[in-house]
Amino acid sequence: MFTANGYYGLLKSNYLFSDVAKKTAAYSQAHPEAQLIRMGIGDVTQPLVPAVIKALHAAVDDMSRMETFHGYGPDYGYDWLRSAIVSRDYASRGIHLDLDEVILSDGAKCDVGNIQELFSADCVIGVMDPVYPVYVDTNVMSGRAGRFSESKGGYEKIVYLPATSENDFVPSLPSERVDVLYLCYPNNPTGMTLTAAQLKKFVDYALENNVLIIYDSAYEAYITEADKPHSIYEIEGAKKCAIECRSLSKTAGFTGTRCAYTVVPKELTAVDSFGKTVSLHDMWARRAATKFNGVSYITQRGAEAVFTDEGHAQIQDVIAYYMENAHIIRTSLQKAGYTVYGGINAPYIWLKVPGGDSWAFFDELLDRYHVIGTPGAGFGASGEGYFRMTAFATRENTLLAMERITSGR
Ligand code: PLP
């Protein structure tokens, strides 16, 4: 008899962004005249840069000719794209990676969810709190999280590491057993990031305790301060304990085009549930070969352009545009009397909610200013009392939203 995976039933009833979307839709229906400004969901608004568009067009043409047509590509990605990634994203920062340590995918969301196929069933998961919800929910689905506990404000079996203004958004090392630790820097949702010295503490802890770090650096392109690491592999020893997930979604506006990659160093070994020492790289490669037929040729050609000098310069302009929005949001909210964090090395601004109720603040902002953000409580118990605004809106909408908030109208 078929039985369904009961762990899905343990997921908290709604996904944060669908709650926000539902509330927004209901408000919009009741107030059709309201000109809403969306600063909630982290999606980009600026089009793909010209170098990418040119490469995409050329790749479409390739597909129209017998001599340049492409069917199935390599499961892990074309070598020309993997070598462009290795040289521009890693060699340029003094990190040596073999080309086959980089495995392409159609999104970091899939990768951070799928990566747990490498974990044994009884691994204890640690996450920062607040947290990008995908890390937790995917582990709930596979039975590693236990039930949601209202008193804990989280899942029974998950270890949460609070990151709040009290610890300057740098969580303490776990004080109980953790086998896999998800770290996200620059952080979604807080917009904060770590110095190399702070990140080194996590790497040293992982090496000493045989912990696997899943390092999500989807926002590394937004780092503006020189002392902040872009990759965990800038820290000595990290190749022995960390997997890094990256995405072109926010780096180059690929949210709708879909291209990401995960680095699993060959040095990364672990003892499996049968007591055998295994290579996580070989396992991840095997997984890709078995379950994935690669990112489309057209997309990979577009992605390749991101790593050319021309494409790189163009995406830097787009990133600068969003970071100018972040600056406008930060300074406007400060002027309006709010305490704000983030927005310097990430396109997210995390503000302290007066009164502390983040869903009430969501309603107030929507109702008074017609501005939509994301309540911190949706990212975890330690997110309560905070609110996320994104810098991805157009300049015009960012200025308008800030004008409404600062003028109190
Ligand atoms: N990781 C983090 C921290 C994110 O915020 C997001 C998207 O918002 C993703 C991963 C997903 O990236 P992708 O579009 O590549 O699936």
Side-chain angles (χ1 to χ4, degrees):
M1 188 187 84
F2 169 76
T3 52
N5 177 357
Y7 295 124
Y8 275 62
L10 301 184
L11 285 164
K12 275 204 87 184
S13 58
N14 269 314
Y15 185 62
L16 168 65
F17 295 105
S18 28
D19 282 355
V20 168
K22 271 187 218 148
K23 276 191 170 239
T24 308
Y27 187 86
S28 213
Q29 208 172 13
H31 305 86
E33 75 297 343
Q35 200 200 338
L36 301 181
I37 300 178
R38 292 165 208 277
M39 303 176 89
I41 194 158
D43 198 359
V44 295
T45 50
Q46 298 303 297
L48 294 171
V49 298
V52 169
I53 293 294
K54 199 167 120 202
L56 289 171
H57 280 302
V60 170
D61 287 343
D62 286 349
M63 296 300 265
S64 73
R65 291 185 294 262
M66 199 67 138
E67 321 78 69
T68 48
F69 169 76
H70 285 76
Y72 288 128
D75 300 320
Y76 313 134
Y78 286 100
D79 283 358
W80 33 261
L81 177 52
R82 297 162 93 197
S83 71
I85 291 169
V86 163
S87 65
R88 188 164 292 266
D89 275 5
Y90 291 97
S92 63
R93 297 191 186 280
I95 300 163
H96 171 79
L97 287 184
D98 284 351
L99 184 142
D100 54 357
E101 291 177 304
V102 175
I103 296 187
L104 267 85
S105 78
D106 57 357
K109 190 182 201 175
C110 326
D111 282 354
V112 296
N114 290 331
I115 200 76
Q116 53 175 310
E117 287 191 27
L118 273 48
F119 315 161
S120 69
D122 58 357
C123 275
V124 177
I125 307 298
V127 295
M128 300 164 64
D129 179 15
V131 64
Y132 177 53
V134 177
Y135 314 145
V136 172
D137 286 357
T138 52
N139 277 288
V140 174
M141 291 170 174
S142 60
R144 279 191 204 86
R147 291 179 182 279
F148 191 83
S149 150
E150 292 298 340
S151 60
K152 179 177 174 181
Y155 286 89
E156 285 162 346
K157 292 195 205 160
I158 294 213
V159 175
Y160 293 89
L161 307 178
T164 64
S165 58
E166 268 110 69
N167 56 14
D168 271 334
F169 301 93
V170 182
S172 307
L173 296 173
S175 54
E176 55 196 299
R177 175 185 154 192
V178 161
D179 303 313
V180 180
L181 180 59
Y182 289 81
L183 294 178
C184 172
Y185 289 109
N187 188 258
N188 176 12
T190 67
M192 301 294 275
T193 198
L194 297 182
T195 61
Q198 288 165 335
L199 183 55
K200 185 176 182 309
K201 285 194 184 151
F202 283 98
V203 170
D204 290 347
Y205 153 81
L207 290 169
E208 275 160 33
N209 295 280
N210 260 321
V211 170
L212 174 68
I213 294 177
I214 307 298
Y215 195 73
D216 183 343
S217 58
Y219 297 95
E220 62 80 29
Y222 289 82
I223 293 174
T224 59
E225 292 178 318
D227 65 335
K228 303 296 188 298
H230 287 243
S231 164
I232 194 164
Y233 305 123
E234 289 175 49
I235 311 299
E236 208 188 320
K239 280 189 183 173
K240 290 192 182 334
C241 65
I243 288 174
E244 180 160 288
C245 300
R246 287 216 180 160
S247 167
L248 296 193
S249 282
K250 309 302 160 66
T251 302
F254 270 55
T255 51
T257 308
R258 313 303 301 143
C259 192
Y261 63 88
T262 285
V263 177
V264 187
K266 290 182 188 158
E267 291 172 45
L268 193 50
T269 58
V271 175
D272 75 9
S273 37
F274 297 108
K276 196 171 120 203
T277 298
V278 291
S279 153
L280 294 189
H281 172 268
D282 291 354
M283 288 170 72
W284 185 242
R286 180 64 197 261
R287 185 201 167 274
T290 306
K291 297 196 173 181
F292 192 51
N293 262 334
V295 180
S296 84
Y297 169 76
I298 297 169
T299 302
Q300 290 193 58
R301 279 294 184 202
E304 186 188 21
V306 169
F307 299 94
T308 59
D309 288 343
E310 189 194 8
H312 183 74
Q314 291 170 352
I315 65 169
Q316 291 315 307
D317 289 346
V318 179
I319 289 170
Y321 172 92
Y322 291 135
M323 290 312 282
E324 175 61 19
N325 283 350
H327 176 75
I328 292 167
I329 299 168
R330 262 182 78 89
T331 47
S332 307
L333 291 175
Q334 276 167 340
K335 213 166 80 189
Y338 293 99
T339 305
V340 299
Y341 306 94
I344 292 171
N345 295 298
Y348 295 122
I349 285 86
W350 191 238
L351 68 100
K352 215 162 198 162
V353 169
D357 182 336
S358 61
W359 275 108
F361 188 71
F362 172 90
D363 290 334
E364 187 187 325
L365 222 61
L366 179 59
D367 202 34
R368 276 180 74 176
Y369 307 120
H370 302 159
V371 173
I372 301 152
T374 312
F379 295 101
S382 298
E384 181 54 307
Y386 296 89
F387 196 79
R388 191 190 77 172
M389 298 193 102
T390 86
F392 289 125
T394 60
R395 177 66 45 76
E396 192 192 2
N397 277 345
T398 302
L399 287 168
L400 187 58
M402 292 305 116
E403 214 273 317
R404 287 181 191 167
I405 294 172
T406 48
S407 65
R409 276 181 280 118

